[in-house]
Amino acid sequence: MIRVIVSGALGRMGSITVDKINQAEDMTLAAAVDVFAKEGDVLSSLEQFDGQADLIIDFSHHTG
């Protein structure tokens, strides 16, 4: 199982990627990260993640 972090998870491409990962049989969402996150399942900073992941897909904006 591939554990994936999606940075920029609340944007258009990030949201689609999170959905596709959740549908995949060989992947699991390790974390969704977005600087505009309030509360809930999306972290506002990668520093808040304390688990393990195999890769990060970055759709964040360069100013973030």
Side-chain angles (χ1 to χ4, degrees), residues 50-64:
D50 64 354
Q52 294 184 352
D54 299 304
L55 66 102
I56 297 174
I57 299 174
D58 184 9
F59 285 113
S60 63
H61 193 269
H62 67 90
T63 60

Side-chain angles (χ1 to χ4, degrees), residues 14-39:
S15 296
I16 292 169
T17 303
V18 167
D19 289 341
K20 295 296 183 182
I21 292 168
N22 287 332
Q23 295 172 11
E25 294 180 12
D26 60 344
M27 294 183 188
T28 186
L29 185 64
V33 181
D34 199 290
V35 295
F36 297 110
K38 303 285 187 220
E39 292 181 19

